[in-house]
Amino acid sequence: MHHARFRDPAGSIREGTYDPDTDTVAFAGEEYALDDPAIDVLPPAEPTKIVCIGRNYADHAAELDNTVPDRPLLFLKAPNALASHGDTITVPEGKDRVDWEAEIAVVIGEQCKEVAAADAMDVVAGFTCMNDVSNRDDQDREQNWVRGKAFDGAAPLGPVLATPDEVPADASVELRVNGETKQSSDRSHLAFDVPTLIEEITEYLTLEAGDVIATGTPEGVGALSDGDTVEIEVEGVGTLEHDVRVP
């Protein structure tokens, strides 16, 4: 099953059932096309935090002249970084390189702490698409990556939430910029799989319902330009699309 959050024509925030065959979301007897200008598509979760994983694909680590760490590399984005399907994100001004990073994102379904890997999927509400937009200028200058990773609009998320049964164990993830494929891989290439990530994260952090884990990006990151249209497609979820403005 797929779910979508949206603001209806009256301005109320709703959560409806999404039909991927018709690209429509239904709530209380009303049905809207996802691209209907009368509604605003919202991120499919309201996280208190977004826990991101660095260097979780060996090919991406290699393209940045790094290695896969011996334990998941964790960093945070705050809710201010969220952006929606269909948004135009504005990247920080005066930067030489702000990159795209396509990611499969996990949405947590309940408050949890110290979850064993064997039980981890029990706390997963579903999966969605995310772009871990990355300001390399500042990321390379700091250790906590707040300027590099957590600026406003740095986490486009969506368009919908797919329950775990909809997303294959080897679900593909692809990113296109202006229609040209730049990244293409699948979930089976994660260095640390989703249960391992949840076990590691919840050893240190309490996760709340709606929190997001961004599982890392594959090879093929590159710099965004003004006017770019970015599409991130995760098998079983759908396609997140957003535009880019460079001041």
Side-chain angles (χ1 to χ4, degrees):
M1 183 175 292
H2 296 74
H3 303 276
R5 291 179 64 248
F6 64 100
R7 185 175 289 105
D8 71 12
S12 299
I13 294 176
R14 307 296 192 188
E15 182 173 321
T17 302
Y18 173 73
D19 184 340
D21 293 328
T22 60
D23 197 32
T24 57
V25 58
F27 174 83
E30 297 289 336
E31 190 172 277
Y32 305 95
L34 211 64
D35 61 358
D36 187 336
I39 69 168
D40 294 318
V41 180
L42 303 174
E46 295 183 277
T48 67
K49 52 192 168 292
I50 303 165
V51 186
C52 301
I53 314 301
R55 291 187 267 160
N56 202 24
Y57 287 80
D59 57 4
H60 172 59
E63 75 175 339
L64 297 183
D65 294 322
N66 290 312
T67 58
V68 174
D70 61 1
R71 64 177 185 175
L73 191 164
L74 309 181
F75 62 93
L76 295 173
K77 290 181 185 254
N80 67 284
L82 285 175
S84 301
H85 174 71
D87 279 356
T88 296
I89 66 165
T90 300
V91 303
E93 187 173 4
K95 305 301 177 184
D96 288 333
R97 181 162 174 172
V98 179
D99 282 5
W100 63 73
E101 291 194 7
E103 311 214 2
I104 299 172
V106 180
V107 178
I108 298 298
E110 61 186 71
Q111 186 184 77
C112 56
K113 182 76 164 73
E114 296 180 346
V115 179
D119 302 321
M121 294 307 297
D122 294 342
V123 303
V124 173
F127 295 87
T128 191
C129 313
M130 194 179 109
N131 191 359
D132 174 18
V133 184
S134 300
N135 160 20
R136 302 297 189 200
D137 292 36
D138 288 308
Q139 183 184 359
D140 292 343
R141 293 180 59 190
E142 61 188 7
Q143 292 184 329
N144 57 24
W145 296 354
V146 171
R147 296 175 185 85
K149 293 281 194 173
F151 54 89
D152 289 350
L157 189 74
V160 302
L161 178 70
T163 51
D165 59 293
E166 298 279 358
V167 182
D170 61 349
S172 61
V173 55
E174 181 174 291
L175 179 141
R176 299 179 292 274
V177 179
N178 304 324
E180 181 180 351
T181 300
K182 299 292 188 178
Q183 291 182 282
S184 183
S185 190
D186 68 69
R187 183 177 160 192
S188 70
H189 288 96
L190 292 172
F192 301 101
D193 64 13
V194 170
T196 300
L197 295 176
I198 291 173
E199 180 176 69
E200 177 71 16
I201 292 164
T202 60
E203 180 179 348
Y204 297 90
L205 306 179
T206 299
L207 293 176
E208 306 290 344
D211 281 352
V212 171
I213 300 171
T215 59
T217 197
E219 179 185 22
V221 301
L224 294 163
S225 299
D226 188 48
D228 280 347
T229 296
V230 179
E231 298 170 280
I232 296 172
E233 183 174 0
V234 172
E235 183 180 1
V237 176
T239 303
L240 167 68
E241 181 178 322
H242 69 83
D243 293 333
V244 177
R245 174 179 175 267
V246 178

